[in-house]
Amino acid sequence: MTEKSGTEKTMPLWEVFIRSRTGLSHRHCGSLHAPDAEMALQAARDVYTRRGEGLSIWVVPSSAITASDPQDKDALFEPTASKIYRHPTFYEVPEEVGHM
Amino acid sequence: MYAQALNVAEKAHADDPELRARFQRRVDAEEKIEPNDWMPEGYRRTLVRQISQHAHSEIVGMLPEGNWITRAPSLKRKAALLAKVQDEGGHGLYLYSAAETLGVSREELVEQLLTGKAKYSSIFNYPTPSWADIGMIGWLVDGAAIMNQIPLCRCSYGPYARAMIRVCKEESFHQRQGFEIVMTLAKGSPAQKTMAQQALNRWWWPALMMFGPSDRDSQHSDQNMAWKIKRFSNDDLRQKFIDATVPQGHFLGLTFPDPELRFNEATGHWEHGPIDWSEFNRVVRGEGPCNRERLKARQKAHAEGAWVREAALAHAEKRAARKAAAKIAAE
């Protein structure tokens, strides 16, 4: 093997997001290693859009993403569980009023 | 996948019983485990081994089929085979990415494959002497892979499960493509039919071995079931595959190379004769018909591709330097 340097050091990791033809927002679909953004786009096209999966690709350096800490999960997301009044199903609409 | 570069996995309290119990409760509740969540070291190790072996299998799996790309019997079949082999490269990449979320580098994984330290599916150590073998790989090998992989879409480890969903969607093209090749041969001239039958004789037993040792001898099963890495036992999956595949073969007018194969009316299952596990063990040990050839082909490809990786890096550096120079000039 002639390769000397690790991919971690030299080929950064990129997260790939694709917007499907349905017009929804870009969605994370996977990741890949590439030397720079342009080559990451090229590789993302080859690896993740072989069957008309999308009309637009974003690649983002993985190191640029700030993620919530899994330890904080309860503190962050648990409070919404008790706020059922935020859901439309909480409210009753008289039958005579019809669909709302 | 999933910004694994962000947090370094905490090695502290490696196997704290409290954390272990909480982890098991999450798994039991069908919650997905994500890269930065606490997990037992054994769970991490098992997944790294399984996902990387799976990735290696996809990459090595390109070789027996690649053998026929230039000799495919028509342009249509050539294009389809090329697309299929390309998919396998893609599947390998999805899986390497999923393995990397567990804290191993791509480099380490590739090195394990090239030095022969890591295993890959032993099925790819069988040769493809005729075009009919390409049909059998799609119909039987990819068919068996689908049986194995569909339950993996519900694996407790999120990145692996998500990668498998993509893989499974694409595998169904592979299986149909293979079945159609076999069907065309089976309905063709007597010589073509013989070719299909001979290929089935070659691939049937190795395909059954793809599900791994019998439940009586499988080492990892119980823990992997509890961790929901595995959902069905090897023998259950093998039975499912046999029940699905035997009628397809009979439809084609082919016979299976197993004199003991018979349908059990009472259970509704096809019963098969004993599997020669000594052959399986031999191939896993590295003594299959093509083990050496496969490894050599991967080593050669890696070595001969080194300049591409180097050139890509040099190109990126050059572009970055130009950009920086232009910025300085503009200021």
Side-chain angles (χ1 to χ4, degrees):
Chain A
M1 275 150 276
T2 53
E3 206 171 23
K4 292 156 217 96
S5 45
T7 39
E8 298 283 63
K9 273 169 260 139
T10 47
M11 290 227 188
L13 190 65
W14 303 78
E15 300 300 320
V16 181
F17 300 80
I18 290 176
R19 189 175 66 215
S20 67
R21 48 186 74 247
T22 55
L24 297 175
S25 23
H26 285 77
R27 214 176 135 182
H28 183 250
C29 70
S31 57
L32 48 83
H33 290 278
D36 67 7
E38 242 171 281
M39 285 185 259
L41 264 184
Q42 184 70 49
R45 176 236 177 227
D46 292 344
V47 178
Y48 291 106
T49 66
R50 290 195 303 283
R51 288 185 174 74
E53 285 88 340
L55 298 173
S56 163
I57 306 175
W58 287 348
V59 290
V60 179
S62 301
S63 58
I65 293 178
T66 307
S68 64
D69 188 332
Q71 310 266 332
D72 299 340
K73 202 171 61 184
D74 289 349
L76 289 174
F77 307 116
E78 203 284 324
T80 66
S82 57
K83 295 178 175 56
I84 49 169
Y85 50 83
R86 291 185 172 180
H87 296 278
T89 45
F90 181 76
Y91 303 92
E92 273 180 35
V93 178
E95 220 164 275
E96 301 89 295
V97 176
H99 180 73
M100 185 180 281
Chain B
M1 271 174 218
Y2 270 63
Q4 57 265 37
L6 295 183
N7 302 7
V8 178
E10 271 186 55
K11 288 271 152 75
H13 20 260
D15 267 335
D16 183 322
E18 175 101 9
L19 288 171
R20 252 187 109 92
R22 202 164 69 192
F23 173 84
Q24 191 60 50
R25 280 198 298 277
R26 292 190 58 199
V27 170
D28 292 341
E30 299 286 335
E31 273 183 46
K32 289 279 181 249
I33 306 303
E34 296 296 339
N36 294 332
D37 295 346
W38 185 89
M39 61 185 83
E41 265 314 295
Y43 179 82
R44 182 188 302 276
R45 260 200 320 272
T46 300
L47 278 169
V48 168
R49 193 188 62 232
Q50 182 172 333
I51 302 172
S52 62
Q53 282 181 4
H54 196 159
H56 300 327
S57 303
E58 297 284 355
I59 299 299
V60 177
M62 298 166 83
L63 297 170
E65 291 181 286
N67 180 33
W68 278 91
I69 290 174
T70 56
R71 294 176 290 162
S74 71
L75 186 58
K76 187 189 110 190
R77 296 211 187 275
K78 184 175 186 163
L81 184 58
L82 203 53
K84 179 176 188 290
V85 173
Q86 193 188 11
D87 277 348
E88 273 142 19
H91 295 177
L93 295 177
Y94 310 155
L95 289 160
Y96 282 128
S97 300
E100 284 172 86
T101 63
L102 292 157
V104 277
S105 70
R106 178 77 57 99
E107 201 85 306
E108 285 171 70
L109 297 175
V110 170
E111 169 130 347
Q112 285 169 3
L113 172 66
L114 297 180
T115 54
K117 207 181 136 209
K119 300 253 183 290
Y120 54 84
S121 180
S122 59
I123 193 83
F124 300 115
N125 290 316
Y126 289 88
T128 46
S130 87
W131 172 250
D133 294 310
I134 300 306
M136 289 299 159
I137 289 184
W139 175 37
L140 300 179
V141 175
D142 291 310
I146 292 172
M147 287 289 171
N148 254 325
Q149 289 168 352
I150 285 178
L152 288 174
C153 297
R154 294 188 296 127
C155 166
S156 59
Y157 188 57
Y160 192 27
R162 289 190 285 273
M164 289 324 299
I165 292 170
R166 271 189 86 87
V167 169
C168 282
K169 272 191 203 158
E170 297 179 349
E171 288 288 356
S172 95
F173 146 59
H174 296 181
Q175 193 188 14
R176 286 170 182 221
Q177 178 261 173
F179 186 73
E180 203 221 4
I181 291 173
V182 178
M183 188 160 64
T184 307
L185 293 171
K187 304 211 154 147
S189 67
Q192 286 172 319
K193 192 168 175 190
T194 306
M195 202 164 115
Q197 182 61 54
Q198 286 171 343
L200 177 58
N201 296 348
R202 279 194 286 276
W203 289 91
W204 178 245
W205 289 108
L208 296 190
M209 293 175 200
M210 282 177 70
F211 296 92
S214 166
D215 297 346
R216 292 186 299 278
D217 311 312
S218 183
Q219 324 165 14
H220 309 292
S221 273
D222 292 345
Q223 182 61 76
N224 289 355
M225 290 274 204
W227 278 335
K228 296 193 198 285
I229 292 173
K230 214 178 153 106
R231 297 265 177 179
F232 298 100
S233 77
N234 293 352
D235 287 337
D236 286 350
L237 288 169
R238 186 164 20 242
Q239 187 61 53
K240 258 182 146 162
F241 172 71
I242 294 172
D243 289 341
T245 311
V246 170
Q248 293 167 357
H250 290 162
F251 170 82
L252 299 176
L254 298 174
T255 52
F256 290 85
D258 178 359
E260 291 176 47
L261 187 71
R262 63 172 203 98
F263 189 68
N264 183 330
E265 295 279 357
T267 60
H269 292 300
W270 285 90
E271 287 172 358
H272 61 88
I275 294 173
D276 178 7
W277 291 113
S278 66
E279 174 181 333
F280 175 77
N281 292 329
R282 242 184 352 262
V283 180
V284 169
R285 269 205 312 274
E287 295 157 29
C290 301
N291 296 57
R292 260 167 252 167
E293 187 186 329
R294 300 290 183 241
L295 214 53
K296 235 165 100 184
R298 284 313 312 156
Q299 287 162 348
K300 182 166 177 272
H302 190 74
E304 290 180 358
W307 73 269
V308 180
R309 293 187 293 277
E310 281 161 24
L313 285 166
H315 186 60
E317 265 167 46
K318 191 177 77 184
R319 260 203 305 230
R322 272 201 200 139
K323 225 171 162 180
K327 202 175 158 207
I328 290 166
E331 280 162 8

